[in-house]
Amino acid sequence: MNWGKLVWWPMYRGRYRHSQEALFDGLRIRLTLWYCGVLGAALILFGIALYLGTQYFLFSPIESDAAMHAQMHAHQWLMDSSDHTCQPPDPYGHFGPPFPPQDSLPMPEMVVCFDRNGSLLSNQRTTELPSAFLTNTLAKSALQTDQPVTDIVNAGGSIGSIYRYALVVPNSSGSDNGGVVLVGEPIQAQETALSLLLTLLLTIGCVALAGAGLGGLFLANRALQPARLAWANQQRFIADASHELRTPLTLLRADAEVLLRDRERLVPEDGALLEDIVAEANHMARLATNLLTLARLDNVALHQEHEVVNLAELAQETVRRVQAFAEQSGITVQLECSHDPYVVGDPMLLEQAVLVLLDNAIKYNRPDGRVTVHMTVQDKQVLLEVKDTGIGIAAEHLPHLGERFYRVDKARSREAGGTGLGLSIARNAALAHDGQLTLTSIPGKGTTVVLTLPSATRESNHSSGQRT
């Protein structure tokens, strides 16, 4: 079974917020999010580039220096022996015998040698070296791959992290069967600098995003001012144009109806044209009235009369008004209400909303169909349900119902006199009363529309029997 359900919730709880305000609030939030997103992406790219660049400039000299000194020790091992290659540092912090002046570069602070089995050579003094540095895992990896390998170990204490570089010394004549030279340099200072940089980047980024949010709201408000002005002008124009059109349309229809009274004196073609004029004038009058109603609903400054309304009496009067139209279409309209529910609102606006729902239920019903109006009170909410046995609405159309001038079947809707504004009026009327409109439809079986409004008991302390 193909069915669908669409719920229009109020934009905001409590005080009614107009659809215009909701529209501009959404635009303002989206613009602000775009500002923050663009700035955040730029900050992330800048931070990554700065972090990686700083990391390269901090560690690249250490890596090059460790590789250079490992080559020196390997060369000394091949030229002399491992006895002098892996000697503990001299008082000046250099390992082994001093090099010639042209090679006098600062030597790494730590160096040890391993044999071909990955064991430390016995002629070394390693008591002052960290145990983490002396592990043979890197030396064995170098022996397995026969390539220089590196890693970082944590020695703890005041030394911290150590960058290690292992270089294989090949077998050759005069050497002690080769082995591995392991050179290490503490990099705790560099890692601390990187950690500080990362902290600064995150802190500055968060502050910048917060500033971008505030600045984005300010810029969005400034950018939306022309749109607000254009919207207000458009609503004013629609209201003025709709109001001005009603009088000439009424006169046009009246003149055509007067001419139709002497239909027997008219040429048949002229009578048909006058009937078309009356029909189109009626359609345009309804359209102008609906546009005027929506323009008034869109006007935030509109003063509405709110009072305690007996919804059962209002629904009964509305059913009476549509009874003749329903009988012409062969539709039975039935009202079911066990008690009198009360709401606080504008009676004319509420009556128009209920009239829209009944009008749609009759227009899009089947011959000999039925329309049921049922009212209940649940959880301090008054539910007015209008259920028909009509043709129903396909699920793909449900998300668009309530959009202005949207019609499911344009040909049938135009033939029935619909303008595509009825549900928009009902929805906005519900929102104007802190309510909601729920529509459920099963194609081929009918449609159920529920208008939910706050019960007057919730507002009794605020406006019981009082106009606002």
Side-chain angles (χ1 to χ4, degrees):
M1 180 181 296
N2 184 17
W3 64 278
K5 182 175 182 181
L6 175 65
V7 178
W8 287 300
W9 295 95
M11 298 298 180
Y12 297 90
R13 294 286 183 185
R15 182 178 298 179
Y16 167 68
R17 291 294 302 274
H18 196 267
S19 58
Q20 172 187 348
E21 291 301 317
L23 171 65
F24 285 109
D25 285 347
L27 288 175
R28 182 166 52 247
I29 292 173
R30 283 194 291 271
L31 284 174
T32 303
L33 291 177
W34 272 108
Y35 292 148
C36 294
V38 172
L39 180 61
L43 288 175
I44 290 174
L45 292 177
F46 172 77
I48 292 175
L50 180 61
Y51 184 86
L52 294 179
T54 303
Q55 185 182 48
Y56 173 79
F57 285 113
L58 286 177
F59 288 98
S60 180
I62 293 177
E63 295 170 359
S64 300
D65 190 62
M68 180 185 303
H69 290 297
Q71 293 286 351
M72 292 180 182
H73 282 284
H75 178 73
Q76 185 177 1
W77 190 337
L78 293 174
M79 297 299 296
D80 191 358
S81 68
S82 61
D83 295 337
H84 298 95
T85 301
C86 304
Q87 292 296 323
D90 61 18
Y92 298 99
H94 297 90
F95 290 86
F99 284 86
Q102 61 271 18
D103 295 327
S104 59
L105 296 174
M107 291 294 291
E109 298 180 7
M110 305 172 208
V111 59
V112 289
C113 296
F114 295 86
D115 59 19
R116 279 283 174 178
N117 296 321
S119 301
L120 283 171
L121 297 181
S122 58
N123 59 349
Q124 302 177 90
R125 192 174 67 197
T126 59
T127 55
E128 298 179 359
L129 297 176
S131 58
F133 171 73
L134 296 175
T135 57
N136 63 353
T137 54
L138 193 65
K140 289 184 176 181
S141 298
L143 290 170
Q144 291 175 359
T145 61
D146 199 27
Q147 296 290 333
V149 291
T150 63
D151 70 355
I152 295 176
V153 295
N154 188 3
S158 59
I159 298 176
S161 298
I162 300 174
Y163 174 79
R164 300 194 304 174
Y165 183 94
L167 179 65
V168 177
V169 180
N171 290 322
S172 62
S173 58
S175 68
D176 299 341
N177 296 325
V180 178
V181 173
L182 182 65
V183 173
E185 277 200 36
I187 56 172
Q188 187 63 36
Q190 288 78 5
E191 289 194 341
T192 301
L194 277 180
S195 177
L196 178 60
L197 176 63
L198 182 60
T199 302
L200 288 175
L201 288 175
L202 292 177
T203 303
I204 294 173
C206 292
V207 173
L209 285 178
L214 297 177
L217 285 175
F218 173 76
L219 293 176
N221 284 327
R222 293 292 300 272
L224 289 176
Q225 284 180 359
R228 285 179 176 273
L229 180 60
W231 178 279
N233 291 334
Q234 180 190 23
Q235 297 305 315
R236 189 181 303 111
F237 170 77
I238 293 174
D240 294 343
S242 301
H243 181 73
E244 293 297 328
L245 282 173
R246 294 175 69 183
T247 300
L249 288 172
T250 302
L251 293 175
L252 179 63
R253 182 181 60 187
D255 292 343
E257 289 175 346
V258 169
L259 291 174
L260 282 173
R261 291 175 185 175
D262 296 330
R263 187 185 185 95
E264 64 277 0
R265 299 181 182 179
L266 298 175
V267 179
E269 290 79 2
D270 293 342
L273 290 175
L274 287 173
E275 288 180 349
D276 290 342
I277 291 174
V278 172
E280 293 302 322
N282 287 330
H283 178 75
M284 292 181 67
R286 283 194 299 271
L287 180 60
T289 301
N290 290 338
L291 285 174
L292 182 60
T293 302
L294 286 173
R296 289 174 175 173
L297 285 171
D298 287 339
N299 188 356
V300 180
L302 178 65
H303 177 74
Q304 295 179 352
E305 293 291 337
H306 282 238
E307 59 185 76
V308 177
V309 179
N310 187 326
L311 199 59
E313 292 181 358
L314 184 146
Q316 185 176 4
E317 175 62 23
T318 308
V319 169
R320 186 192 63 79
R321 290 178 57 185
V322 302
Q323 195 68 46
F325 174 54
E327 290 176 356
Q328 290 177 0
S329 304
I331 307 298
T332 302
V333 181
Q334 183 179 1
L335 175 62
E336 299 176 354
C337 183
S338 58
H339 55 280
D340 293 337
Y342 290 89
V343 298
V344 175
D346 186 336
M348 294 185 61
L349 191 57
L350 290 173
E351 184 177 3
Q352 189 168 5
V354 177
L355 186 61
V356 165
L357 301 182
L358 288 174
D359 185 63
N360 284 343
I362 295 172
K363 285 179 180 177
Y364 303 105
N365 214 319
R366 300 178 183 277
D368 300 325
R370 183 169 52 192
V371 176
T372 304
V373 182
H374 181 72
M375 275 181 289
T376 57
V377 179
Q378 296 179 1
D379 299 329
K380 299 181 180 180
Q381 300 281 336
V382 178
L383 280 67
L384 188 149
E385 179 186 84
V386 179
K387 184 177 182 180
D388 64 62
T389 58
I391 59 176
I393 304 170
E396 62 267 19
H397 295 292
L398 292 177
H400 304 287
L401 291 179
E403 296 178 3
R404 298 179 184 184
F405 296 104
Y406 183 86
R407 290 175 285 188
V408 176
D409 187 346
K410 294 180 172 56
R412 176 168 180 173
S413 180
R414 180 67 177 85
E415 181 182 351
T419 60
L421 296 175
L423 283 178
S424 295
I425 294 175
R427 183 190 68 171
N428 283 274
L431 293 177
H433 293 84
D434 291 336
Q436 65 188 38
L437 197 67
T438 306
L439 191 149
T440 306
S441 184
I442 302 176
K445 292 192 175 182
T447 302
T448 300
V449 183
V450 179
L451 175 63
T452 305
L453 299 171
S455 175
T457 56
R458 294 178 56 191
E459 308 291 342
S460 58
N461 296 332
H462 175 66
S463 58
S464 178
Q466 177 182 352
R467 293 180 182 269
T468 58

